Amino acid sequence: FWCAKLFVEEVTPHYPIDHWLFWVYARIWVWVAFFMVACFSGGHAVMSLVMPRGLSLRARAVYSMCAGVLVFFAGMFLGGLLGVLGPAFAIAWPATLAIGGLPKLLSRSRRVMPHLRAARRRAGPPPWWFWPLAAYGMLAIAGVYFVILTPQNVAFDAHFYHLGLAQQRAVEGAISRSPEGWFPATMPQLASVLYT
């Protein structure tokens, strides 16, 4: 505690904590978590309708997330065509997906949780080498993640195509025709619509 206090006292005059880049990334992490919860919940509702039985728990989780991303894309695309993209839609659409899929997700989790607890009890504690291996894995993920955070890492295609289209659509609040007649702007690309 004392070291953290000393660190804050020494660093604050040079680089105030409220200006740290960490807070920008923390806000982005919250938005990404909101997006993932919305996609998983909405996708689970779709998967419950399309395939109520016959999938393992892992397969259902993977397919639910994929279906949720597609449903999110379809809603964003439709919202873009209707011209309702904006701050209210950016909250309302994912919240609708998250809340709409919540009842089915809760009912399934009530059925699954006792089975998961029983499986965890049967498995016992992890072996001694699990924790060093998990720590190494987390360090490797952090190493890869922090290297790709730089804006210079954005690929040419994403920089001049997907992100540019997303910015244009976000500013216009709609998916509209391109006055320049740029052909790639006419295709409903998953990446550019999700970036919007």
Side-chain angles (χ1 to χ4, degrees), residues 14-36:
H14 305 288
Y15 190 22
I17 292 176
D18 57 333
H19 292 122
W20 283 9
L21 199 55
F22 168 81
W23 305 115
V24 173
Y25 286 116
R27 191 169 55 244
I28 292 170
W29 292 334
V30 169
W31 285 114
V32 168
F34 181 46
F35 167 74
M36 291 179 68

Side-chain angles (χ1 to χ4, degrees), residues 178-189:
S178 175
E180 301 89 16
W182 190 38
F183 177 70
T186 63
M187 297 181 289
Q189 297 274 336

